[in-house]
């Protein structure tokens, strides 16, 4: 089973993905984590990535797809959870093609629905503890949310057309939200 967790920044994708990894032995592929790792190496690509992330924009499709391709080739487990990927229609197309090569496909896109006001508060709160610069500034957070609505939200239609889109209420306790996700997965 391969799942995409969709949702604006702060929707809880990473939190829920980690729980599914532990409870169902799935493999989490988070492009945010991969990009932060690339950034920390100080390579030329890392420097480019750092600049884009600092402003809250989206890193180019080429870079992100390249990272996913590398990880997919060497990962093994009970299915993938994509967290923060795809974020554009061209990333979604690339993912379909990559999975085809492994004779598999996306089972479901599960979208966590949370209002903007709650998102902004959650991110500012996370920024206090994590030190993530992109979580500490309201303007950057608003830019990330805007990127989500202008470039990523259209993926709802993309996966609806494939009959595998499921919206889930992303407000509530962490365990409560996990059980909503598991509910969807159990019906697949
Ligand atoms: P969040 O979902 O809370 O914004 P992430 O860790 O998923 O956090 O992403 C942090 C940043 O990394 C994004 O603002 C963006 O700059 C970059 N990024 C992550 N995934 C992608 C992607 N699939 N395509 C382009 N940029 C990405």
């Amino acid at each position: 089973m391969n799942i995409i967790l969709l949702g604006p920044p702060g929707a809880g994708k990473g939190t829920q993905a980690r729980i599914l990894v532990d409870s169902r032995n799935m493999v989490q592929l988070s492009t945010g984590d991969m990009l932060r790792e690339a950034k920390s190496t100080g390579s030329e690509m890392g420097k480019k990535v750092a600049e884009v992330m600092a402003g809250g924009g989206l890193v180019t499709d080429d870079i992100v797809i390249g990272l996913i391709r590398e990880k997919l080739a060497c990962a093994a487990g009970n299915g993938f959870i994509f967290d923060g990927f795809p974020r554009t229609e061209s990333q979604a197309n690339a993912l379909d093609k990559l999975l085809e090569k492994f004779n598999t496909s996306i089972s479901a896109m599960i979208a966590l629905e949370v209002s903007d006001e709650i998102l902004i508060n959650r991110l500012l709160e996370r920024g206090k503890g994590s030190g993530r610069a992109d979580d500490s500034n309201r303007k950057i957070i608003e830019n990330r949310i805007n990127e989500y609505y202008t470039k990523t939200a259209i993926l709802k239609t993309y996966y609806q057309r494939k009959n595998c889109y499921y919206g889930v209420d992303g407000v509530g306790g962490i365990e409560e939200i996990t059980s909503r996700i598991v509910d969807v997965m159990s019906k697949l």
Side-chain angles (χ1 to χ4, degrees):
M1 192 183 288
N2 302 308
I3 304 289
I4 298 170
L5 287 182
L6 179 79
K13 303 179 294 285
T15 304
Q16 295 299 332
R18 282 186 290 276
I19 294 173
L20 295 172
V21 167
D22 291 341
S23 61
R24 306 175 70 111
N25 191 30
M26 294 178 84
V27 175
Q28 177 188 11
L29 294 176
S30 158
T31 42
D33 289 347
M34 291 174 202
L35 291 168
R36 276 184 288 277
E37 199 183 308
K39 209 171 83 166
S40 69
T41 64
S43 66
E44 273 316 302
M45 187 261 267
K47 282 181 203 156
K48 239 194 287 178
V49 163
E51 212 172 296
V52 179
M53 286 174 87
L58 290 189
V59 173
T60 59
D61 290 334
D62 283 0
I63 290 182
V64 173
I65 293 165
L67 288 170
I68 284 280
R69 184 183 295 122
E70 246 174 63
K71 295 277 177 183
L72 266 183
C74 58
N78 200 7
F80 296 110
I81 308 172
F82 295 94
D83 146 22
F85 179 90
R87 260 172 153 101
T88 63
E89 194 154 341
S90 120
Q91 291 180 15
N93 277 312
L95 178 60
D96 280 345
K97 293 212 182 81
L98 278 173
L99 290 175
E100 233 170 73
K101 278 196 202 152
F102 294 95
N103 282 319
T104 184
S105 61
I106 291 299
S107 321
M109 162 173 270
I110 301 179
L112 297 172
E113 295 159 350
V114 181
S115 74
D116 292 356
E117 203 186 313
I118 296 179
L119 293 173
I120 293 174
N121 288 331
R122 280 189 189 173
L123 290 171
L124 287 171
E125 207 44 52
R126 181 169 83 183
K128 284 184 201 160
S130 71
R132 258 179 71 171
D134 61 345
D135 282 344
S136 307
N137 176 303
R138 184 178 282 265
K139 273 264 155 325
I140 296 172
I141 291 174
E142 282 169 359
N143 195 30
R144 286 158 62 201
I145 294 176
N146 187 47
E147 287 280 82
Y148 175 80
Y149 287 116
T150 53
K151 296 178 184 163
T152 308
I154 43 154
L155 293 180
K156 175 174 179 176
T157 322
Y158 185 97
Y159 289 95
Q160 268 175 338
R161 276 199 215 110
K162 294 178 184 286
N163 280 324
C164 66
Y165 176 89
Y166 302 85
V168 155
D169 182 1
V171 182
I174 290 176
E175 285 173 20
E176 210 179 342
I177 297 162
T178 306
S179 72
R180 289 176 195 148
I181 294 174
V182 170
D183 246 15
V184 171
M185 290 169 73
S186 68
K187 287 178 194 132
L188 294 175

